[in-house]
mmCIF file of all heavy atoms in Angstrom:
data_model
loop_
_atom_site.group_PDB
_atom_site.id
_atom_site.type_symbol
_atom_site.label_atom_id
_atom_site.label_comp_id
_atom_site.label_asym_id
_atom_site.label_seq_id
_atom_site.Cartn_x
_atom_site.Cartn_y
_atom_site.Cartn_z
ATOM 1 N N LEU G 1495 -36.707 -34.706 -129.690
ATOM 2 C CA LEU G 1495 -35.464 -34.066 -130.090
ATOM 3 C C LEU G 1495 -35.110 -34.434 -131.511
ATOM 4 O O LEU G 1495 -34.809 -33.533 -132.348
ATOM 5 C CB LEU G 1495 -34.346 -34.444 -129.127
ATOM 6 C CG LEU G 1495 -32.984 -33.902 -129.451
ATOM 7 C CD1 LEU G 1495 -32.898 -32.392 -129.582
ATOM 8 C CD2 LEU G 1495 -31.961 -34.391 -128.359
ATOM 9 N N VAL G 1510 -24.121 -35.786 -128.537
ATOM 10 C CA VAL G 1510 -23.349 -35.564 -127.288
ATOM 11 C C VAL G 1510 -24.152 -36.068 -126.115
ATOM 12 O O VAL G 1510 -25.201 -35.515 -125.800
ATOM 13 C CB VAL G 1510 -22.965 -34.086 -127.169
ATOM 14 C CG1 VAL G 1510 -22.136 -33.835 -125.886
ATOM 15 C CG2 VAL G 1510 -22.252 -33.557 -128.361
ATOM 16 N N GLY G 1511 -23.643 -37.138 -125.477
ATOM 17 C CA GLY G 1511 -24.387 -37.779 -124.400
ATOM 18 C C GLY G 1511 -25.351 -38.770 -125.010
ATOM 19 O O GLY G 1511 -26.538 -38.789 -124.723
ATOM 20 N N ILE G 1561 -16.693 -34.609 -122.094
ATOM 21 C CA ILE G 1561 -16.567 -33.392 -122.918
ATOM 22 C C ILE G 1561 -15.888 -32.231 -122.214
ATOM 23 O O ILE G 1561 -15.629 -31.218 -122.869
ATOM 24 C CB ILE G 1561 -17.926 -32.974 -123.515
ATOM 25 C CG1 ILE G 1561 -18.887 -32.498 -122.437
ATOM 26 C CG2 ILE G 1561 -18.517 -34.117 -124.357
ATOM 27 C CD1 ILE G 1561 -20.120 -31.863 -122.979
ATOM 28 N N VAL G 1577 -26.596 -32.817 -131.715
ATOM 29 C CA VAL G 1577 -27.777 -32.964 -130.872
ATOM 30 C C VAL G 1577 -27.345 -33.346 -129.468
ATOM 31 O O VAL G 1577 -26.311 -34.006 -129.269
ATOM 32 C CB VAL G 1577 -28.733 -34.052 -131.442
ATOM 33 C CG1 VAL G 1577 -29.278 -33.646 -132.787
ATOM 34 C CG2 VAL G 1577 -28.062 -35.394 -131.551
ATOM 35 N N THR G 1578 -28.140 -32.901 -128.487
ATOM 36 C CA THR G 1578 -27.830 -33.252 -127.115
ATOM 37 C C THR G 1578 -29.044 -32.980 -126.249
ATOM 38 O O THR G 1578 -29.862 -32.134 -126.547
ATOM 39 C CB THR G 1578 -26.607 -32.427 -126.598
ATOM 40 O OG1 THR G 1578 -26.253 -32.931 -125.330
ATOM 41 C CG2 THR G 1578 -26.897 -30.977 -126.513
ATOM 42 N N ASN G 1579 -29.138 -33.752 -125.176
ATOM 43 C CA ASN G 1579 -30.109 -33.513 -124.137
ATOM 44 C C ASN G 1579 -29.299 -33.568 -122.844
ATOM 45 O O ASN G 1579 -29.241 -34.588 -122.173
ATOM 46 C CB ASN G 1579 -31.192 -34.594 -124.158
ATOM 47 C CG ASN G 1579 -32.305 -34.312 -123.164
ATOM 48 O OD1 ASN G 1579 -32.319 -33.293 -122.480
ATOM 49 N ND2 ASN G 1579 -33.225 -35.268 -123.017
ATOM 50 N N PRO G 1580 -28.660 -32.438 -122.536
ATOM 51 C CA PRO G 1580 -27.668 -32.449 -121.429
ATOM 52 C C PRO G 1580 -28.334 -32.635 -120.074
ATOM 53 O O PRO G 1580 -29.492 -32.273 -119.892
ATOM 54 C CB PRO G 1580 -27.014 -31.068 -121.564
ATOM 55 C CG PRO G 1580 -28.016 -30.210 -122.219
ATOM 56 C CD PRO G 1580 -28.788 -31.128 -123.132
ATOM 57 N N PRO G 1581 -27.541 -33.155 -119.140
ATOM 58 C CA PRO G 1581 -28.050 -33.267 -117.769
ATOM 59 C C PRO G 1581 -28.214 -31.869 -117.229
ATOM 60 O O PRO G 1581 -27.340 -31.019 -117.337
ATOM 61 C CB PRO G 1581 -26.965 -34.062 -117.022
ATOM 62 C CG PRO G 1581 -25.781 -34.045 -117.894
ATOM 63 C CD PRO G 1581 -26.217 -33.692 -119.304
ATOM 64 N N PHE G 1582 -29.361 -31.596 -116.560
ATOM 65 C CA PHE G 1582 -29.615 -30.226 -116.097
ATOM 66 C C PHE G 1582 -30.118 -30.133 -114.678
ATOM 67 O O PHE G 1582 -30.293 -29.065 -114.115
ATOM 68 C CB PHE G 1582 -30.560 -29.482 -117.035
ATOM 69 C CG PHE G 1582 -31.854 -30.212 -117.252
ATOM 70 C CD1 PHE G 1582 -32.918 -30.052 -116.394
ATOM 71 C CD2 PHE G 1582 -32.016 -31.047 -118.363
ATOM 72 C CE1 PHE G 1582 -34.096 -30.752 -116.592
ATOM 73 C CE2 PHE G 1582 -33.188 -31.689 -118.579
ATOM 74 C CZ PHE G 1582 -34.243 -31.555 -117.694
ATOM 75 N N PHE G 1583 -30.342 -31.278 -114.042
ATOM 76 C CA PHE G 1583 -30.793 -31.270 -112.635
ATOM 77 C C PHE G 1583 -29.620 -30.900 -111.731
ATOM 78 O O PHE G 1583 -28.511 -31.379 -111.920
ATOM 79 C CB PHE G 1583 -31.358 -32.613 -112.202
ATOM 80 C CG PHE G 1583 -32.680 -32.923 -112.815
ATOM 81 C CD1 PHE G 1583 -32.827 -33.960 -113.765
ATOM 82 C CD2 PHE G 1583 -33.848 -32.226 -112.460
ATOM 83 C CE1 PHE G 1583 -34.021 -34.255 -114.326
ATOM 84 C CE2 PHE G 1583 -35.071 -32.540 -113.052
ATOM 85 C CZ PHE G 1583 -35.164 -33.549 -113.981
ATOM 86 N N ALA G 1597 -26.381 -39.294 -115.795
ATOM 87 C CA ALA G 1597 -27.110 -38.928 -116.976
ATOM 88 C C ALA G 1597 -28.037 -37.737 -116.766
ATOM 89 O O ALA G 1597 -28.386 -37.043 -117.711
ATOM 90 C CB ALA G 1597 -27.891 -40.119 -117.517
ATOM 91 N N HIS G 1598 -28.455 -37.505 -115.507
ATOM 92 C CA HIS G 1598 -29.451 -36.483 -115.219
ATOM 93 C C HIS G 1598 -28.923 -35.260 -114.480
ATOM 94 O O HIS G 1598 -29.441 -34.168 -114.612
ATOM 95 C CB HIS G 1598 -30.588 -37.081 -114.401
ATOM 96 C CG HIS G 1598 -31.438 -38.021 -115.149
ATOM 97 N ND1 HIS G 1598 -32.828 -37.915 -115.162
ATOM 98 C CD2 HIS G 1598 -31.170 -39.114 -115.906
ATOM 99 C CE1 HIS G 1598 -33.328 -38.896 -115.900
ATOM 100 N NE2 HIS G 1598 -32.343 -39.630 -116.346
ATOM 101 N N GLN G 1599 -27.840 -35.457 -113.703
ATOM 102 C CA GLN G 1599 -27.389 -34.393 -112.822
ATOM 103 C C GLN G 1599 -26.238 -33.580 -113.455
ATOM 104 O O GLN G 1599 -25.265 -34.169 -113.937
ATOM 105 C CB GLN G 1599 -26.891 -34.998 -111.515
ATOM 106 C CG GLN G 1599 -26.583 -33.974 -110.424
ATOM 107 C CD GLN G 1599 -26.354 -34.655 -109.111
ATOM 108 O OE1 GLN G 1599 -26.967 -35.664 -108.817
ATOM 109 N NE2 GLN G 1599 -25.485 -34.068 -108.318
ATOM 110 N N GLU G 1600 -26.442 -32.282 -113.481
ATOM 111 C CA GLU G 1600 -25.413 -31.384 -114.058
ATOM 112 C C GLU G 1600 -24.083 -31.523 -113.325
ATOM 113 O O GLU G 1600 -24.016 -31.341 -112.105
ATOM 114 C CB GLU G 1600 -25.897 -29.951 -113.997
ATOM 115 C CG GLU G 1600 -24.972 -28.941 -114.618
ATOM 116 C CD GLU G 1600 -25.502 -27.515 -114.498
ATOM 117 O OE1 GLU G 1600 -26.513 -27.233 -115.156
ATOM 118 O OE2 GLU G 1600 -24.900 -26.754 -113.776
ATOM 119 N N LEU G 1602 -21.248 -30.468 -115.364
ATOM 120 C CA LEU G 1602 -20.523 -29.483 -116.168
ATOM 121 C C LEU G 1602 -21.548 -28.346 -116.419
ATOM 122 O O LEU G 1602 -22.659 -28.600 -116.780
ATOM 123 C CB LEU G 1602 -20.126 -30.133 -117.502
ATOM 124 C CG LEU G 1602 -19.315 -29.294 -118.499
ATOM 125 C CD1 LEU G 1602 -17.935 -29.034 -117.942
ATOM 126 C CD2 LEU G 1602 -19.191 -30.047 -119.827
ATOM 127 N N LEU G 1604 -23.935 -25.758 -117.975
ATOM 128 C CA LEU G 1604 -24.624 -25.866 -119.262
ATOM 129 C C LEU G 1604 -23.913 -25.016 -120.335
ATOM 130 O O LEU G 1604 -23.835 -25.405 -121.476
ATOM 131 C CB LEU G 1604 -26.093 -25.401 -119.081
ATOM 132 C CG LEU G 1604 -26.970 -25.579 -120.330
ATOM 133 C CD1 LEU G 1604 -27.011 -27.024 -120.813
ATOM 134 C CD2 LEU G 1604 -28.370 -25.093 -119.970
ATOM 135 N N TRP G 1607 -21.189 -27.063 -121.739
ATOM 136 C CA TRP G 1607 -21.754 -28.162 -122.568
ATOM 137 C C TRP G 1607 -22.146 -27.592 -123.942
ATOM 138 O O TRP G 1607 -21.792 -28.159 -124.967
ATOM 139 C CB TRP G 1607 -22.995 -28.699 -121.829
ATOM 140 C CG TRP G 1607 -23.522 -29.998 -122.381
ATOM 141 C CD1 TRP G 1607 -24.269 -30.161 -123.514
ATOM 142 C CD2 TRP G 1607 -23.374 -31.304 -121.842
ATOM 143 N NE1 TRP G 1607 -24.587 -31.457 -123.708
ATOM 144 C CE2 TRP G 1607 -24.048 -32.202 -122.709
ATOM 145 C CE3 TRP G 1607 -22.742 -31.789 -120.730
ATOM 146 C CZ2 TRP G 1607 -24.096 -33.567 -122.468
ATOM 147 C CZ3 TRP G 1607 -22.788 -33.186 -120.478
ATOM 148 C CH2 TRP G 1607 -23.465 -34.042 -121.330
ATOM 149 N N ILE G 1608 -22.852 -26.480 -123.935
ATOM 150 C CA ILE G 1608 -23.243 -25.841 -125.213
ATOM 151 C C ILE G 1608 -22.040 -25.373 -125.992
ATOM 152 O O ILE G 1608 -21.972 -25.547 -127.207
ATOM 153 C CB ILE G 1608 -24.251 -24.684 -124.953
ATOM 154 C CG1 ILE G 1608 -25.564 -25.273 -124.404
ATOM 155 C CG2 ILE G 1608 -24.480 -23.878 -126.234
ATOM 156 C CD1 ILE G 1608 -26.512 -24.232 -123.900
ATOM 157 N N CYS G 1611 -20.624 -28.228 -127.895
ATOM 158 C CA CYS G 1611 -21.438 -28.547 -129.049
ATOM 159 C C CYS G 1611 -21.229 -27.518 -130.189
ATOM 160 O O CYS G 1611 -21.048 -27.937 -131.340
ATOM 161 C CB CYS G 1611 -22.959 -28.543 -128.662
ATOM 162 S SG CYS G 1611 -23.379 -29.892 -127.516
#
Side-chain angles (χ1 to χ4, degrees):
L1495 175 56
V1510 181
I1561 66 170
V1577 296
T1578 189
N1579 185 4
F1582 54 85
F1583 289 110
H1598 290 231
Q1599 189 170 327
E1600 181 181 292
L1602 183 68
L1604 186 58
W1607 192 284
I1608 292 170
C1611 293

